[in-house]
Amino acid sequence: GQSLEQPSEVTAVEGAIVQINCTYQTSGFYGLSWYQQHDGGAPTFLSYNALDGLEETGRFSSFLSRSDSYGYLLLQELQMKDSASYFCAVRDGGATNKLIFGTGTLLAVQP
Amino acid sequence: DAGVIQSPRHEVTEMGQEVTLRCKPISGHDYLFWYRQTMMRGLELLIYFNNNVPIDDSGMPEDRFSAKMPNASFSTLKIQPSEPRDSAVYFCASRGASGYGYTFGSGTRLTVV
């Protein structure tokens, strides 16, 4: 089967750093993506890792270790507006473009 | 760029009725995806198209669901007949051939009573 596991909820305070982990088990792998979704909104693309290592985009960074089937999203200098659900997603296989989403992590940023 | 446009935003219908959801992808995007989101099952891929051709419909729940893409700027997802368990938010997304990120529409919240 195919699965992507994430913690269901994370709570942090404004200004802090939080890490959201994702472990995956898929039949194929062509990159790990992260999406943000505010309550009632649409998922929004944040980042993509095809190779091992850290990718940084402003306050957000994403890491991938293919040998461990593991990645994480790091959010720094947390702001109230970062309160949202965060999904990891894997592109499954080269012949397809199926993006399979994880279970999602609800991040609550407290003042 | 207006993004991916979906209509309607909300749909309430009675069980047994036909429901049609509509999507206009971003101009120039070669891939179009239909997803369904529920609390129980999360974001599920239903079907996707490449250059207007259905490539993988293995996620379509059953024969009551059908999707078409008659041209590069329009797609529909139809449910006939609808059932209460079809209640969910349905998202359409598109992606360019060389891009990594999917752009999602605002979704259609479907309630079947």
Side-chain angles (χ1 to χ4, degrees):
Chain A
Q2 303 185 97
S3 67
L4 290 87
E5 297 295 328
Q6 305 176 231
S8 59
E9 294 183 22
V10 173
T11 301
V13 296
E14 230 176 339
I17 299 173
V18 71
Q19 177 174 313
I20 299 174
N21 299 320
C22 173
T23 56
Y24 59 87
Q25 186 175 14
T26 55
S27 56
F29 179 82
Y30 280 83
L32 181 71
S33 302
W34 288 91
Y35 285 77
Q36 178 191 61
Q37 185 179 29
H38 286 98
D39 190 28
T44 303
F45 174 70
L46 291 177
S47 68
Y48 174 77
N49 293 66
L51 303 175
D52 292 351
L54 191 68
E55 295 279 346
E56 298 181 57
T57 308
R59 295 187 297 114
F60 294 2
S61 303
S62 55
F63 172 83
L64 174 64
S65 170
R66 288 172 295 171
S67 60
D68 296 321
S69 297
Y70 164 77
Y72 66 72
L73 180 69
L74 191 72
L75 297 84
Q76 302 181 72
E77 301 174 17
L78 279 175
Q79 302 176 9
M80 297 296 289
K81 66 178 182 179
D82 297 330
S83 294
S85 291
Y86 291 84
F87 295 87
C88 60
V90 165
R91 244 187 84 190
D92 175 23
T96 75
N97 276 276
K98 295 174 69 167
L99 194 63
I100 300 169
F101 282 83
T103 51
T105 299
L106 181 60
L107 171 63
V109 180
Q110 297 178 342
Chain B
D1 186 353
V4 176
I5 299 172
Q6 291 186 247
S7 65
R9 286 298 306 276
H10 301 274
E11 177 80 31
V12 180
T13 191
E14 292 185 348
M15 182 174 61
Q17 296 298 305
E18 177 181 295
V19 175
T20 299
L21 312 182
R22 298 172 175 78
C23 175
K24 176 180 169 55
I26 290 175
S27 177
H29 278 190
D30 302 286
Y31 293 89
L32 183 138
F33 308 82
W34 283 100
Y35 280 86
R36 177 171 70 174
Q37 186 174 36
T38 61
M39 287 295 293
M40 291 298 294
R41 300 176 68 88
L43 272 162
E44 303 174 274
L45 176 65
L46 300 177
I47 185 172
Y48 81 91
F49 296 82
N50 179 209
N51 291 323
N52 314 339
V53 176
I55 302 300
D56 189 331
D57 65 353
S58 59
M60 296 287 260
E62 47 199 273
D63 292 345
R64 298 185 296 106
F65 286 68
S66 62
K68 294 181 180 180
M69 191 165 186
N71 57 63
S73 59
F74 183 65
S75 177
T76 60
L77 178 68
K78 184 177 294 186
I79 307 172
Q80 166 63 22
S82 57
E83 297 182 2
R85 59 186 167 136
D86 301 331
S87 297
V89 180
Y90 291 80
F91 287 104
C92 173
S94 69
R95 190 192 76 115
S98 59
Y100 300 120
Y102 289 29
T103 302
F104 282 77
S106 299
T108 295
R109 182 173 296 275
L110 173 65
T111 303
V112 183
V113 297

